[in-house]
Amino acid sequence: MTTSDVQRSTATGLPRPNARGRALRPTTKVLPEHARGHNRSLVLQTLYRAGSQSRADIARETGLTRVTISDLVAELMLEDLVIEVGQREDARPGKPATMLDLNREAFQIIGVDLSGYSEFRAAILDFDGQIIERAQLPLAGSTGANATAKVVSLVESLVARTTLPILGIGVGSPGVVDLGGTVLSAPNLGWAGEPLQQLLENRFGVPVLVINDANAAALAEHSFGDADSDMMLIKVGHGVGGGLLLDGTPLFGSRFAAGEIGHVVVGTDGGAECACGKRGCLETWLAVPRLEAALAASTSMDERNTILTEAGQRLGIALAPVVGALNLAEVVLSGPTELLDGVLATATIETLRARTMAEFHGDLILRMTTLGEDIVMRGAAVMVLSGQLGVS
Amino acid sequence: MTTSDVQRSTATGLPRPNARGRALRPTTKVLPEHARGHNRSLVLQTLYRAGSQSRADIARETGLTRVTISDLVAELMLEDLVIEVGQREDARPGKPATMLDLNREAFQIIGVDLSGYSEFRAAILDFDGQIIERAQLPLAGSTGANATAKVVSLVESLVARTTLPILGIGVGSPGVVDLGGTVLSAPNLGWAGEPLQQLLENRFGVPVLVINDANAAALAEHSFGDADSDMMLIKVGHGVGGGLLLDGTPLFGSRFAAGEIGHVVVGTDGGAECACGKRGCLETWLAVPRLEAALAASTSMDERNTILTEAGQRLGIALAPVVGALNLAEVVLSGPTELLDGVLATATIETLRARTMAEFHGDLILRMTTLGEDIVMRGAAVMVLSGQLGVS
DNA sequence: GTTTGTTAGTAAAGCTTACGAACAAACTCT
DNA sequence: AGAGTTTGTTCGTAAGCTTTACTAACAAAC
């Protein structure tokens, strides 16, 4: 027996690296029922993405056998999550297939966007993330418990209008949100350690998921927009925030503050004073109130363009190290189109290209979101779909 | 039946978010045998980290039952990966426990470091990442096929000196390395699309894992140093590279070039010309040859400190957006201690603190690696341990 | 109209994996 | 010595997926 024979035979029995070339680091036990849950979600995921399909189609797609798929589908049909929708139309040899689909009429989702400066927004959404009903509530400067009460009241008004059972409530909140849905810090709303998820779950008795607004937006752009599974979304509003999606999963960071780039100092040449006490934070160039103030004071189109170009360049300067370090191929902007799209975005992408290595991201893309103002609510709905069904 | 009753009962059957608060997105089927492999690794992992333990200890630690652990251990003992090492010493009630341990004498690992400017380095390592034997080979300007031949010859010389079967070969290479271990681009070595992993696997008949040198270093710092599971390692040498660890897993990026920050432009005030054609790349301030040249031309200690401070600040400026966006809590430096440690590192951390939001990373740490020059070889060994045993 | 071959879905049996119950062995403590 | 603890094994069972074998239902070709 040669040395290499020993290794070959031993190695065969060992866990191989997965498709991404690395081994899964085991952290907790995995039982057969977990595998089952995974495969269950796999069926839902297949139907969610590809639409109506037969059991045999799903079996081919997933690699599981027809028998197993039949079993899983039976389970999902009992729970009313999957339904049969008749036989396949097009004629082909063999027994006609019974087509299945997600029971898209089974549940509704409530998505909430707390990131607005003057009002809270919420909506009832369907399985496809389409908005069915809307509701708003003027914030009127409420903070602390008053703000919380407004959230509850807004959700209440929508719950009353649902026509189907509620799958869950998703909330996109500004500030720093931990994994348990507690808003650790949201200065504008006067929240510090607000256990929003717990609170809403107790109040409404349905699963609730609270996530940072920019992260929600990034999820929405991935699920409903054209975004890749690795991208950064920059949300420009009253402040500037970011959401990072790596391999389709939001990044949270060591203190749940990943994406918070509004208060990173940009450039080496000073800058305006920021509310945070520093000088030259990204927000001082890019936040909507600052931009609008600067534009209002401008007297010519040239001056206007200079202001927007400067803002775009600053964003590019701030993003360049991030794009380089993460080897990002896609950056998406969300915010007022009339400000961001055009001169500003062009300046940003040009700055980014000039300051990073083209070889590593030849196809670097920067574009506006296609989801408009509903992006956070729809991202919150994605959280629910993903958390409750394993679908996104 | 109330509305909320429906949701509660339905929700129970659905997959719950995992420990990190989000659901796993299913991508491929999971069979019972995969779960088994995971639990196998869990046993190895437990022994690897906590050292000698009894079956019952492992059962308590993992949450699996004694029966299952006995079964898994029996399998691992057959493969000679786990051995019994006698009975527990300390006296306590009950039947004395039979202690188990990884069979640390079962295999050796070969770790290779191709990141040196003048020589390739390699070593035989044991399960604990300790170096048993070393070997070097002067690069002597070799590129392309010649460089590849030197790698093979270096590994050959070490393979001949192994005293146990080889678990695998890990290689830390400069440049951009894809998930299949092909070096897509390594200018210094004249490699473009060099299928190093395939080549070495064919040649030596053992599992081979090739990864970027800075990523390897980051893994080593996590496994053998004190690093957290979220951190960035900056490797300063002939060039400047970085490795990102997020949740204990290296980040690869959209084009496998994550971490490559050497050619990100720093600051808004020009800078020296870089080999890449741009001006003011991080490397122009920080790369060892540039630093040494500048220091050699300096005439006073003050001037020397100014140069090092400037370099440190530039690093801080480049890292600030990354630290902010990823909410990193830890940055580790690897490279010549006499240059990096002290004035330079101090300037970097001060710059970082000044340019990011303290609230989000109150405990931001920047420090030198504790692993010295062996960091890449040891990281390459971690790749093998992780890939072959699921241990790290 | 009949035959041939294909496809969908189901049923039965078997394998793998983990679990719970029960137990013997071996120890400590009183 | 007896009681209580802890370890590790044996035995039987449940869950989950596969293989094999079947029926039903169709298209195409004769």
Side-chain angles (χ1 to χ4, degrees), chain A residues 170-198:
Chain A
V171 181
S173 166
V176 180
V177 184
D178 76 9
L179 299 177
T182 294
V183 182
L184 299 180
S185 151
N188 283 349
L189 297 176
W191 282 344
E194 184 75 10
L196 200 55
Q197 179 170 319
Q198 193 65 54

Side-chain angles (χ1 to χ4, degrees), chain B residues 263-316:
Chain B
H263 294 285
V264 167
V265 176
V266 188
T268 44
D269 50 359
E273 199 165 328
C274 180
C276 74
K278 301 197 295 294
R279 281 195 166 275
C281 290
L282 184 57
E283 279 198 13
T284 63
W285 274 286
L286 205 59
V288 171
R290 299 260 191 172
L291 261 184
E292 281 179 342
L295 290 176
S298 73
T299 54
S300 69
M301 200 60 184
D302 264 11
E303 205 174 324
R304 185 187 162 84
N305 281 345
T306 306
I307 292 167
L308 291 174
T309 301
E310 171 81 10
Q313 285 171 343
R314 293 291 162 169
L315 178 57

Side-chain angles (χ1 to χ4, degrees), chain B residues 20-36:
Chain B
R20 293 209 56 188
R22 50 191 184 187
L24 298 168
R25 276 177 326 124
T27 49
T28 49
K29 61 177 174 179
V30 172
L31 303 184
E33 67 207 75
H34 298 136
R36 174 83 165 182

Side-chain angles (χ1 to χ4, degrees), chain A residues 7 15 22-23 25 28-30 38-40 63 166 206 247 249 254-255 259 265 267-268 325 327 354-355 386-387, chain B residues 7 14-15 22-23 25 28-30 38-39 63 166 206 247 249 254-255 259 265 267-268 278 325 327 355 359 386-387:
Chain A
Q7 290 125 20
R22 52 195 181 184
R25 277 176 325 124
T28 48
K29 62 177 176 179
V30 172
H38 185 98
N39 290 336
R40 243 183 71 105
I166 300 172
V206 298
D247 206 17
T249 311
S254 63
R255 295 219 174 175
V265 176
T268 44
N327 189 217
R355 295 175 78 95
S386 161
Chain B
Q7 288 126 23
L14 298 175
R22 50 191 184 187
R25 276 177 326 124
T28 49
K29 61 177 174 179
V30 172
H38 185 98
N39 290 336
I166 299 171
V206 298
D247 205 16
T249 311
S254 64
R255 295 219 175 173
V265 176
T268 44
K278 301 197 295 294
N327 189 217
R355 295 175 79 95
E359 183 189 338
S386 161

Side-chain angles (χ1 to χ4, degrees), chain A residues 114-385:
Chain A
L114 307 182
S115 70
Y117 181 60
S118 58
E119 64 175 13
F120 287 158
R121 306 176 68 219
I124 302 173
L125 301 98
D126 64 17
F127 264 31
D128 300 311
Q130 296 301 316
I131 291 179
I132 298 172
E133 290 256 16
R134 294 171 184 276
Q136 301 85 32
L137 200 57
L139 189 44
S142 304
T143 57
N146 290 336
T148 308
K150 293 214 165 172
V151 176
V152 171
S153 136
L154 178 62
V155 173
E156 244 164 14
S157 74
L158 273 182
V159 165
R161 287 199 267 159
T162 54
T163 54
L164 296 170
I166 300 172
L167 183 65
I169 301 172
V171 181
S173 166
V176 180
V177 184
D178 76 9
L179 299 177
T182 294
V183 182
L184 299 180
S185 151
N188 283 349
L189 297 176
W191 282 344
E194 184 75 10
L196 200 55
Q197 179 170 319
Q198 193 65 54
L199 204 142
L200 293 175
E201 234 161 41
N202 291 344
R203 174 68 186 75
F204 295 101
V206 298
V208 176
L209 291 160
V210 182
I211 190 173
N212 170 272
D213 56 345
N215 277 328
L219 278 171
E221 192 64 30
H222 177 44
S223 291
F224 304 127
D226 309 315
D228 200 28
S229 56
D230 287 78
M231 67 97 148
M232 182 166 194
L233 183 137
I234 308 293
K235 196 163 176 302
V236 180
H238 198 247
V240 176
L244 271 163
L245 219 60
L246 297 177
D247 206 17
T249 311
L251 181 77
F252 294 101
S254 63
R255 295 219 174 175
F256 315 111
E260 296 289 337
I261 55 160
H263 294 284
V264 167
V265 176
V266 189
T268 44
D269 50 359
E273 198 166 327
C274 181
C276 75
K278 301 197 297 292
R279 280 195 166 275
C281 291
L282 184 56
E283 279 198 12
T284 63
W285 274 286
L286 204 58
V288 171
R290 299 260 193 175
L291 261 183
E292 281 180 342
L295 291 176
S298 71
T299 54
S300 70
M301 201 62 186
D302 264 12
E303 205 175 321
R304 184 186 161 84
N305 282 343
T306 306
I307 292 167
L308 291 173
T309 301
E310 171 81 12
Q313 285 171 346
R314 292 291 160 168
L315 178 57
I317 293 169
L319 288 184
V322 181
V323 167
L326 301 185
N327 189 217
L328 285 176
E330 189 170 13
V331 177
V332 176
L333 299 180
S334 166
T337 309
E338 68 278 11
L339 293 178
L340 303 180
D341 208 3
V343 178
L344 193 153
T346 306
T348 303
I349 183 71
E350 279 172 3
T351 306
L352 270 176
R353 291 228 165 93
R355 295 175 78 95
T356 55
M357 202 62 176
E359 185 189 337
F360 299 146
H361 56 66
D363 49 359
L364 177 64
I365 290 171
L366 181 132
R367 59 174 175 81
M368 287 295 297
T369 172
T370 52
L371 302 181
E373 299 220 322
D374 298 331
I375 188 166
V376 173
M377 292 190 298
R378 297 183 71 184
V382 172
M383 280 297 288
V384 174
L385 282 169

